[in-house]
Amino acid sequence: MSAEPTLKKALNQRQLTMIAIGGVIGAGLFVGSGVVIGDTGPGAFLTYGMAGVLIIMVMRMLAEMAVANPSTGSFADYSRNALGHWAGFSVGWLYWYFWVIVVGFEAIAGAKIVQYWFDVPLWLSALIFMVLMTATNLFSVASYGEFEFWFAGIKVAAIIAFIALGAAFVFGLWPGKSADFSNLTSHGGFMPLGFSVITVGIVTVIFSMVGAEIATIAAAESSDPERAVAKAANSVILRILVFYVGAVLLLVTILPWDDEGVAASPFVAAFTEMGIPYADHIMNAVVLTAVLSCLNSGMYTASRMLFVLAARREAPPALVKVTRRGVPANAILASSVIGFLCVIAAAVSPDTIFAFLLNSSGAIILFVYLLISISQIVLRYRTPDSELRVKMWLFPVLSILTALGIVAILVQMFIDTELRSQLVLSLLSWAVVLLLFVANKWFVKKRPTRDDDKPTGTPHRVLVLANQTVDSDELLAELNQIGVDKETEYLVVVPRSPVDTGAAATHGPRDVSEATEQAATERLETTLAALRSDSGSAEGELGDERPLRALASAVEKFGPDQIVISTLPPEFSAWQRFDLVERARAQFTIPVTHVVAKSVAGRGV
């Protein structure tokens, strides 16, 4: 049996570093900063600083959990471990929903930028962007990393260039320009609208900084995830201070806060003030790159979260399937389809359906951050200090203050009449997710059971289909009873399923195929050894990852007298959830015995 090919080239440190650096720079910085400045005044950089502190705290908490327990699912798994399956289910699906809406939104935003240069239908440009980014993600994780490296590099270069030129302009190092900080106070004062407006802008700013946590997901597909996560978390402080606080401080120093150009496009207005030619074209190109970077990362992040949900049996198992290059193709395509639907909604009904989608995801990232904060507090109390290589500062004070800060932002959204609808609709989205969780749990527990069909006579050729329970005491006891005459021949089939072997829960797309093959092979060999010692002739094979197909192929080759299917109890079994036993009984005329085992392969429960 040869192992299925896996991805040979993973994300390297160069790509991860740039993903971490560029992940915190969204298109919202280039465009949304003008809105924040207009609503706050010259003190807008304080708003960015406050929001930045919140992001830094969340990243530090993520780093503590990720280094202590590296996981493909990152914060979804941490919430599951800390608060229960409902929390992991909530974080996973809410985070996926947030990013697929972002994918559609960014595709539309990119199409609008293209219209600045060319008269192209909005839907066509958005479609082209979606196809390109989907293809990039489908090719390999390395192609995603390489594209993101260059996209993020352009964003970073643009910000650094602006900071260098802006600082020279402000400090009087610019030709014909003397040092001038008058714009900070000469137009109504430093805080012309009052200090209370600082907190109002945090809602807008926090969304422009979303993305720093992507590095913790991408790190799972690197050669050294612990080092990558810790490095990303530690460097986020400098990145926010330089790219956000520093850039916005220069903007309000170069230009009056109430200048019309600031509201429209602050960086273009600043470059124009400095006399940089073609500033509008340059910045539009940079913003387009930022949009494509966000679209690329959104596709990657959404697909990996779907992969994790499928691995935890909280999404269709087909979504865990990976290609020869180690890419979760079905998860990428599923996320892409939703992105396409968002583009269609924006084209057909921008003021109703698309507006509803945007509003219903408006506060979701805050819910996710809140669950991350609470999870860190719970897990920290459960984990001995000796096992923590990265720790949250001043625990538990800063952790609690971070959680309270997120709650305060949610309260601010409720108070602000313009943002209230986003909070309400986002809460509705969370309620729908929780209802789906409860409904799924109820359905699994309430499935009707039936007694096993017992074959007549003594079977001589027994086909066994099992995975997690393949070496369980219950299955081996049943097979030994069947083979009491010592003349029974067995064929044991273990489907190559990343979900059923548990490989998808512990490995990322890069090496899940290899881990699946290894786990399935070990289980098969253990069972065959037990059967050969107790009951005579036994052979085995690894089958298709789809159990019914694996069963059908084995029936055709082996010609059994009896089929034995072993599963976990209904509340834990995906096979029972999808009526595998009943479908096998309907498909084959051979008697089917159903063994419900309470012990998992390799360990007792």
Side-chain angles (χ1 to χ4, degrees):
M1 294 175 291
S2 61
E4 295 180 17
T6 57
L7 182 66
K8 303 302 179 186
K9 182 181 180 184
L11 294 173
N12 56 45
Q13 192 60 46
R14 170 180 62 87
Q15 293 167 337
L16 275 170
T17 299
M18 192 56 74
I19 289 171
I21 293 173
V24 77
I25 305 175
L29 170 62
F30 298 104
V31 181
S33 55
V35 176
V36 178
I37 292 171
D39 291 340
T40 309
F45 69 91
L46 297 177
T47 299
Y48 278 88
M50 293 174 65
V53 168
L54 197 64
I55 295 293
I56 290 168
M57 294 299 106
V58 171
M59 280 295 292
R60 185 69 182 186
M61 287 189 282
L62 269 178
E64 178 184 289
M65 294 185 289
V67 173
N69 183 26
S71 167
T72 305
S74 190
F75 37 87
D77 277 347
Y78 306 142
S79 295
R80 180 180 289 104
N81 295 338
L83 305 173
H85 289 293
W86 69 269
F89 190 93
S90 295
V91 169
W93 279 110
L94 287 175
Y95 198 68
W96 173 82
Y97 180 63
F98 173 81
W99 277 108
V100 292
I101 299 301
V102 167
V103 163
F105 175 79
E106 296 294 345
I108 294 296
K112 289 182 178 178
I113 295 171
V114 169
Q115 287 185 331
Y116 183 81
W117 295 299
F118 308 104
D119 186 18
V120 181
L122 201 68
W123 66 269
L124 180 59
S125 296
L127 178 64
I128 292 172
F129 290 146
M130 289 289 297
V131 170
L132 287 175
M133 293 304 100
T134 301
T136 298
N137 277 269
L138 283 174
F139 187 72
S140 73
V141 68
S143 66
Y144 155 75
E146 197 61 24
F147 268 74
E148 191 57 24
F149 173 82
W150 292 106
F151 285 162
I154 293 173
K155 291 190 295 184
V156 171
I159 291 294
I160 291 176
F162 170 74
I163 290 174
L165 295 174
F169 186 82
V170 168
F171 286 99
L173 303 178
W174 199 259
K177 180 74 168 60
S178 59
D180 185 5
F181 298 90
S182 61
N183 284 328
L184 291 175
T185 56
S186 60
H187 294 267
F190 182 67
M191 295 299 298
L193 304 177
F195 278 89
S196 61
V197 296
I198 290 180
T199 58
V200 176
I202 289 181
V203 177
T204 303
V205 172
I206 202 80
F207 296 124
S208 70
M209 293 182 178
V210 171
E213 71 284 346
I214 293 176
T216 64
I217 298 176
E221 297 183 64
S222 70
S223 57
D224 191 355
E226 293 185 16
R227 178 171 173 264
V229 170
K231 188 174 181 179
N234 291 333
S235 63
V236 75
I237 302 173
L238 181 61
R239 287 181 277 132
I240 287 177
L241 284 176
V242 173
F243 297 141
Y244 278 93
V245 180
V248 173
L249 176 57
L250 284 173
L251 283 174
V252 295
T253 307
I254 294 170
L255 295 166
W257 70 274
D258 52 357
D259 186 279
E260 292 183 0
V262 172
S265 184
F267 285 87
V268 171
F271 276 130
T272 302
E273 178 70 17
M274 289 185 282
I276 304 295
Y278 305 109
D280 54 343
H281 293 286
I282 294 172
M283 286 311 301
N284 268 317
V286 171
V287 174
L288 178 59
T289 303
V291 165
L292 293 179
S293 171
C294 192
L295 177 55
N296 190 36
S297 291
M299 191 78 71
Y300 171 85
T301 306
S303 65
R304 267 44 179 192
M305 194 55 76
L306 266 190
F307 177 89
V308 170
L309 286 166
R312 277 43 169 191
R313 306 181 186 281
E314 294 169 343
L319 295 173
V320 85
K321 183 178 178 61
V322 296
T323 67
R324 292 180 179 273
R325 294 179 179 272
V327 172
N330 290 346
I332 291 172
L333 291 173
S335 301
S336 181
V337 166
I338 303 300
F340 280 123
L341 293 177
C342 290
V343 170
I344 294 172
V348 175
S349 182
D351 299 325
T352 52
I353 298 177
F354 189 61
F356 170 79
L357 292 173
L358 287 179
N359 287 332
S360 64
S361 65
I364 280 178
I365 197 65
L366 291 172
F367 299 156
V368 172
Y369 285 170
L370 181 60
L371 287 173
I372 289 173
S373 302
I374 297 172
S375 300
Q376 185 269 335
I377 295 171
V378 172
L379 292 177
R380 177 64 174 270
Y381 279 117
R382 293 181 187 171
T383 309
D385 280 357
S386 59
E387 297 180 12
L388 296 174
R389 292 181 293 281
V390 174
K391 296 181 180 180
M392 178 62 179
W393 305 297
L394 296 178
F395 180 83
V397 176
L398 287 184
S399 296
I400 294 172
L401 288 177
T402 300
L404 292 176
I406 296 171
V407 172
I409 295 174
L410 293 171
V411 171
Q412 181 69 54
M413 290 185 71
F414 181 78
I415 294 173
D416 191 328
T417 55
E418 294 183 2
L419 298 174
R420 187 178 300 160
S421 62
Q422 292 187 25
L423 176 62
V424 172
L425 290 176
S426 296
L427 284 170
L428 178 62
S429 298
W430 194 358
V432 170
V433 169
L434 290 175
L435 284 174
L436 289 174
F437 172 77
V438 172
N440 180 69
K441 191 174 181 180
W442 178 87
F443 174 77
V444 171
K445 285 188 173 181
K446 295 297 182 180
R447 277 195 74 257
T449 57
R450 54 174 285 180
D451 294 334
D452 297 333
D453 290 339
K454 295 294 182 181
T456 56
T458 303
H460 293 281
R461 296 177 67 80
V462 178
L463 175 58
V464 181
L465 183 73
N467 206 310
Q468 301 110 305
T469 60
V470 73
D471 63 354
S472 64
D473 295 339
E474 294 85 354
L475 176 59
L476 291 176
E478 179 70 26
L479 296 181
N480 287 332
Q481 183 177 354
I482 291 172
V484 289
D485 59 1
K486 303 296 183 183
E487 297 179 0
T488 303
E489 297 179 359
Y490 297 95
L491 176 64
V492 182
V493 178
V494 177
R496 288 185 182 88
S497 169
V499 174
D500 296 326
T501 59
T506 55
H507 292 73
R510 176 171 61 90
D511 54 0
V512 69
S513 296
E514 183 178 357
T516 298
E517 191 89 11
Q518 180 179 351
T521 301
E522 290 175 356
R523 292 179 184 182
L524 182 60
E525 290 175 349
T526 300
T527 305
L528 292 178
L531 288 174
R532 286 166 182 163
S533 63
D534 295 337
S535 305
S537 175
E539 299 296 330
E541 67 178 38
L542 300 187
D544 191 280
E545 68 176 67
R546 292 157 291 192
L548 270 182
R549 291 200 179 189
L551 187 61
S553 176
V555 166
E556 184 178 351
K557 289 186 295 184
F558 185 61
D561 301 309
Q562 180 180 354
I563 296 172
V564 176
I565 299 177
S566 178
T567 73
L568 289 168
E571 60 269 27
F572 303 115
S573 173
W575 288 9
Q576 290 212 53
R577 186 181 307 164
F578 295 105
D579 296 311
L580 175 66
V581 176
E582 300 302 320
R583 291 163 68 188
R585 285 170 172 152
Q587 184 171 343
F588 306 107
T589 57
I590 309 162
V592 176
T593 298
H594 179 201
V595 176
V596 178
K598 296 182 179 180
S599 55
V600 180
R603 61 181 177 87
V605 174

